[in-house]
């Protein structure tokens, strides 16, 4: 087996704790007589997995009975569309912070409705190289919702402080889900694609405060109605059984092996610190792509070399040294290391060493 240092932005590296258990379960899950990808979603085995994942997610975030946790096939992009249909109201404001490509996608979906879409701040003109300070922004108390993206996967920015609003607060947390403690009770809806911090691709987890379900209009197609997901405990249709099985394992790892979100944050700070230090101590050989240091992401680290030729050489050499996924997103270029929860410390250390050495040899 030659598992490399995996820095892909998602699907991304998963903890060996989950991968090795999945390896066994593929053949036969517990005493069920069949593999986990072959088991009924109506079996007691899957009930336990689904309910276990919900309980651990709530425990990690400190949430009680006033929140539901559901899985939505189709990923975070499906939730963009569902949110627009469920919560945009004709003539009422839906307010957004446009901090990057994914935030813009959520805005585009809302713009298809009759809501009054209000982009309170956009980083488009500065190529999303920094974020606003949330306390400087004005939000309406009676907006249908305020939506923002906590971590911008492509640009490498991350909100360290969240907007304080009276309207229901929605957050796409796809790329920093469960990576640090948050005051989850301040949110009406948190969601994210699973493929970065939680499991395989293909579905999103959404955490919804019960009271906002009342705002959903009647008559939506059932697959697009969040109250149906809640009523049917995510099994209105056949859910992604294997993906949820893996997510349950990753959440267990986070809870039992890592010891919760505060510990996870410390580890993430240390990993990201190693790589940011390689950038900042390179005497200008590398340049961080984010303008404001406080806005740098602990999950997606973005940087440039002085020339595109050097970046190409960096990528070629990095591959021969056993690193994967260091190319920046195709829309922005440059270099990016995604150091999600499951990225081992060893990978971050080895990358920082490689970066230091590469800078020395080519500076
Ligand atoms: C912050 C963010 N939101 C949404 C998405 C879209 O997720 P999905 O591919 O699950 O639809 C991504 C994908 O990378 C993302 O990084």
């Amino acid at each position: 087996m030659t598992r490399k240092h995996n820095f892909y932005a998602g699907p991304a590296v998963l903890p060996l704790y989950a991968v090795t258990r999945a390896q066994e379960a593929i053949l036969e899950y517990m005493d069920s007589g069949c593999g986990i990808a072959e088991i009924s979603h109506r079996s007691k085995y899957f009930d336990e997995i689904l309910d276990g994942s919900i309980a651990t997610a709530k425990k990690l975030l400190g949430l009680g009975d006033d929140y539901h946790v559901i899985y939505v096939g189709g990923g975070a992009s499906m939730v963009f569309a569902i949110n627009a249909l469920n919560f945009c109201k004709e003539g009422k404001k839906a307010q957004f912070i446009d901090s990057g490509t994914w935030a813009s996608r959520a805005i585009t979906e809302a713009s298809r409705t009759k809501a009054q879409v209000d982009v309170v701040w956009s980083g488009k003109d500065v190529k999303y190289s920094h974020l606003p300070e949330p306390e400087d922004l004005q939000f309406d108390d009676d907006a249908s919702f305020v939506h923002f993206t906590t971590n911008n996967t492509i640009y490498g920015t991350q909100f360290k402080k969240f907007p304080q609003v009276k309207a229901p607060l929605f957050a796409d947390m796809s790329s920093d889900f469960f990576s640090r403690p948050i005051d989850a009770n301040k949110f009406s809806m948190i969601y994210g694609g699973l493929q970065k911090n939680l499991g395989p691709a293909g579905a999103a987890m959404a955490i919804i405060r019960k009271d906002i379900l009342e705002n959903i209009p009647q008559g939506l197609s059932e697959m697009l109605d969040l109250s149906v997901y809640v009523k049917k405990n995510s099994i209105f249709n056949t859910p992604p059984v294997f993906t949820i099985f893996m997510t349950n394992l990753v959440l267990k790892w986070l809870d039992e092996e890592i010891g919760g979100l505060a510990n996870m944050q410390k580890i993430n700070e240390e990993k990201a610190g190693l790589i940011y230090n390689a950038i900042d101590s390179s005497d200008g050989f590398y340049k961080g792509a984010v303008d404001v240091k406080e806005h740098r992401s602990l999950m997606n680290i973005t940087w440039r070399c002085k020339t595109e030729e050097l970046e190409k050489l960096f990528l070629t050499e990095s591959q021969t040294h056993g690193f994967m996924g260091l190319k920046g997103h195709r829309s922005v270029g440059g270099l990016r290391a995604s150091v999600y929860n499951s990225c081992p410390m060893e990978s971050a250390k080895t990358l920082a060493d490689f970066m230091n050495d590469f800078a020395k040899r080519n500076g």
Side-chain angles (χ1 to χ4, degrees):
M1 191 171 67
T2 50
R3 280 172 75 86
K4 297 189 175 174
H5 298 294
N6 181 346
F7 292 98
Y8 279 121
V13 63
L14 289 166
L16 276 178
Y17 173 96
V19 174
T20 50
R21 281 164 177 77
Q23 192 183 21
E24 249 176 56
I26 273 286
L27 213 52
E28 186 182 356
Y29 182 63
M30 297 177 81
D31 61 350
S32 68
C34 65
I36 188 65
E38 303 161 289
I39 211 163
S40 169
H41 59 296
R42 309 255 175 226
S43 63
K44 68 170 181 158
Y45 298 98
F46 184 66
D47 278 350
E48 278 171 18
I49 291 167
L50 179 62
D51 292 345
S53 74
I54 293 170
T56 313
K58 280 186 162 187
K59 179 182 169 198
L60 287 165
L61 292 172
L63 293 173
D65 288 344
D66 46 343
Y67 282 84
H68 295 289
V69 178
I70 59 163
Y71 290 93
V72 180
S77 301
M78 183 59 94
V79 183
F80 295 158
I82 289 182
N83 277 353
L85 294 169
N86 284 235
F87 300 113
C88 282
K89 287 263 171 328
E90 184 166 358
K92 275 195 81 172
K93 273 191 188 170
Q95 295 190 302
F96 291 86
I97 300 176
D98 172 18
S99 55
T101 307
W102 300 111
S104 309
R105 294 265 187 105
I107 295 167
T108 303
E109 289 303 329
S111 304
R112 298 182 204 284
T113 72
K114 295 190 169 142
Q116 201 186 325
V117 173
D118 180 22
V119 178
V120 172
W121 183 90
S122 174
K124 199 169 176 199
D125 292 346
V126 292
K127 300 204 171 97
Y128 299 113
S129 56
H130 60 256
L131 298 171
E133 298 306 327
E135 60 271 24
D136 295 342
L137 304 176
Q138 298 284 325
F139 298 100
D140 288 13
D141 293 352
D142 65 347
S144 297
F145 60 85
V146 170
H147 180 282
F148 76 114
T149 312
T150 48
N151 184 77
N152 299 285
T153 325
I154 295 175
Y155 301 93
T157 53
Q158 182 179 35
F159 281 97
K160 305 290 155 60
K161 289 174 286 171
F162 298 156
Q164 306 288 321
V165 301
K166 294 228 166 66
L169 185 60
F170 288 13
D172 171 7
M173 294 196 178
S174 294
S175 49
D176 65 355
F177 225 4
F178 294 90
S179 67
R180 54 180 168 165
I182 55 163
D183 190 354
N185 287 284
K186 290 260 159 67
F187 291 85
S188 291
M189 144 95 90
I190 298 170
Y191 65 96
L194 301 175
Q195 68 273 23
K196 298 163 196 303
N197 265 339
L198 287 177
M205 178 188 277
I207 299 166
I208 308 168
R209 205 169 67 203
K210 283 183 177 167
D211 59 354
I212 58 155
L213 294 172
E214 290 159 16
N215 301 353
I216 300 174
Q218 299 287 310
L220 289 174
S221 160
E222 282 169 298
M223 283 298 287
L224 301 173
D225 183 339
L226 284 176
S227 59
V228 173
Y229 285 77
V230 165
K231 204 155 62 199
K232 301 286 182 181
N233 197 22
S234 301
I235 37 183
F236 168 68
N237 77 325
T238 319
V241 169
F242 181 73
T243 296
I244 295 172
F245 163 77
M246 288 294 282
T247 300
N248 184 39
L249 285 175
V250 175
L251 288 166
K252 256 173 106 102
W253 166 80
L254 199 42
D255 184 28
E256 292 171 12
E257 302 288 311
I258 299 294
L261 300 185
N263 287 355
M264 193 71 256
Q265 178 173 25
K266 273 193 212 126
I267 297 169
N268 286 332
E269 281 170 352
E270 195 178 332
K271 285 187 291 188
L274 290 164
I275 299 167
Y276 282 123
N277 190 44
I279 295 170
D280 294 338
S281 63
S282 70
D283 250 343
F285 181 83
Y286 302 116
K287 187 176 180 304
V290 176
D291 288 348
V292 180
K293 279 197 180 165
E294 291 71 40
H295 299 171
R296 284 173 161 182
S297 168
L298 293 185
M299 299 275 103
N300 307 100
I301 300 170
T302 50
W303 74 99
R304 310 276 333 200
C305 294
K306 276 190 186 137
T307 64
E308 287 193 17
E309 283 64 40
L310 276 173
E311 288 170 354
K312 275 192 196 132
L313 184 65
F314 182 97
L315 285 173
T316 313
E317 279 198 23
S318 72
Q319 279 160 15
T320 56
H321 281 75
F323 299 102
M324 310 167 79
L326 290 170
K327 194 167 189 220
H329 189 269
R330 60 192 178 284
S331 61
V332 294
L335 302 162
R336 171 176 61 174
S338 297
V339 280
Y340 297 124
N341 287 352
S342 316
C343 173
M345 184 68 72
E346 190 53 31
S347 291
K349 275 191 188 135
T350 315
L351 175 59
D353 288 346
F354 171 74
M355 289 171 70
N356 291 335
D357 180 58
F358 185 84
K360 239 184 247 150
R361 286 188 285 109
N362 295 284

